[in-house]
Amino acid sequence: MRLIAAVLLLSLAACAQQPPRDDSLYRALGEQAGITRIVEGMLMNIARDRRIVRHFEKIDIVRLRDKLVEQFCVEAGGPCTYTGDSMEESHKGQRLTPSDFNALVENLQDAMDTEGVPVPAQNRLLARLAPMRAQVIDR
């Protein structure tokens, strides 16, 4: 019994020493509701963007929206779990170019502008998403 109590106490102490998760970007984006509006705005922008809309014609847009909301939430430090495929897997065979990626980023920035997200918060999100560029180009 003492061993169980000691293990429990050590576990609680370890949890107490963990630094709190930084959710300031999540809050700056408007939390779950704001992130959902940003993603939906981005997808609406893409639907009007002749440069890249063809890449989205055969995609389940509702599922894509849901997975992007999860992903942005996780990247922003929110209380979410990403349940989608890896970036490599989900972009396999699409042969996306740097120009395609840049167009998507422009659509995301426009959506964040529409939602009134401050530029520093936009830059923080883009910086967290930027490493994914190599995972989606020419896959």
Side-chain angles (χ1 to χ4, degrees), residues 113-139:
D113 284 341
T114 298
E115 286 302 313
V117 175
V119 171
Q122 290 186 31
N123 290 339
R124 285 176 61 202
L125 178 63
L126 294 173
R128 291 184 185 184
L129 297 173
M132 294 177 195
R133 182 181 188 276
Q135 299 168 3
V136 302
I137 304 269
D138 295 326
R139 296 283 164 199

Side-chain angles (χ1 to χ4, degrees), residues 31-113:
E31 300 182 352
Q32 190 74 24
I35 291 171
T36 300
R37 287 191 305 272
I38 290 165
V39 168
E40 289 175 350
M42 179 185 74
L43 292 174
M44 292 300 293
N45 293 341
I46 289 168
R48 295 184 293 268
D49 189 338
R50 288 188 268 153
R51 297 174 297 173
I52 60 172
V53 69
R54 71 187 177 282
H55 295 295
F56 296 84
E57 291 173 346
K58 296 179 182 175
I59 291 180
D60 179 346
I61 293 296
V62 173
R63 182 177 190 282
L64 176 61
R65 180 201 64 209
D66 294 346
K67 298 308 161 197
L68 286 171
V69 168
E70 287 176 4
Q71 188 173 51
F72 286 14
C73 180
V74 168
E75 293 297 326
C80 307
T81 302
Y82 178 66
T83 61
D85 297 328
S86 70
M87 290 297 98
E88 291 92 346
E89 186 61 31
S90 60
H91 294 88
K92 190 175 181 178
Q94 292 188 24
R95 292 185 166 91
L96 299 174
T97 66
S99 294
D100 296 328
F101 186 86
N102 293 343
L104 183 131
V105 170
E106 289 172 22
N107 286 301
L108 172 57
Q109 288 174 301
D110 289 345
M112 289 191 287
D113 284 341

